Amino acid sequence: DTAVSQTPKYLVTQMGNDKSIKCEQNLGHDTMYWYKQDSKKFLKIMFSYNNKELIINETVPNRFSPKSPDKAHLNLHINSLELGDSAVYFCASSRGRENQPQHFGDGTRLSIL
Amino acid sequence: AQSVSQHNHHVILSEAASLELGCNYSYGGTVNLFWYVQYPGQHLQLLLKYFSGDPLVKGIKGFEAEFIKSKFSFNLRKPSVQWSDTAEYFCAVKGGGGADGLTFGKGTHLIIQP
């Protein structure tokens, strides 16, 4: 069973479109995260959610919005996609915010044409 | 703000060689430290973690890391590498008591030559 699953695995779309990436975890964790990995493999935290509340919001454009219908899901919505949004997006989860490792999904490779 | 510095961006070793990847962090408080590995085309997997206690931590696949508080370092080691260790290695830090996600270093691309 996949612990943290993301869909789709690949997403190719045009500039200006709106797209969503879904993430689900079956580990019973209460904190979920979104990371962006750029072309140089640099990983940066974008959002984290704890008990359905946004607890951090790094300096990402407001075109990106996380939505969590329940604590097992944290979806990422992106409006008006731009070329610079091309990256691999990783979802992760952890049990609580302290002293717990994060478990990562397989990533979604987003390519903007 | 916390930051993580990995000194070697690319490392090439032969099989059976010993490995040490450097990691330094800057954070004034209690930290949780991690090493993650990313095999080609795959997600990040946890190699090992340090929260407290024995500063020498052992992880999966024969890896270990030593937390040296005075040097703000958490170097990753393996006595004898294998071809299958070819991957990207990331050091990460999470500040204690805060709401932040992980802060990652820029990664070290390790290539093991048969």
Side-chain angles (χ1 to χ4, degrees), chain A residues 76-102:
Chain A
L76 182 64
H77 297 271
I78 316 170
N79 296 324
S80 302
L81 281 158
E82 299 177 358
L83 286 175
D85 299 333
S86 295
V88 181
Y89 293 84
F90 285 98
C91 178
S93 71
S94 66
R95 188 182 302 281
R97 290 155 46 179
E98 303 299 331
N99 292 356
Q100 295 294 335
Q102 295 180 16

Side-chain angles (χ1 to χ4, degrees), chain B residues 77-91:
Chain B
R77 299 194 292 249
K78 185 170 183 178
S80 177
V81 293
Q82 302 170 307
W83 176 79
S84 57
D85 292 325
T86 294
E88 197 86 21
Y89 291 81
F90 294 93
C91 182

Side-chain angles (χ1 to χ4, degrees), chain A residues 35 37 56 97-98 102 105-106, chain B residues 36 38 43 94 97 99 102:
Chain A
Y35 290 85
Q37 186 176 46
I56 68 167
R97 290 155 46 179
E98 303 299 331
Q102 295 180 16
D106 286 342
Chain B
Y36 281 85
Q38 187 178 28
H43 63 275
K94 182 174 169 123
L102 294 176

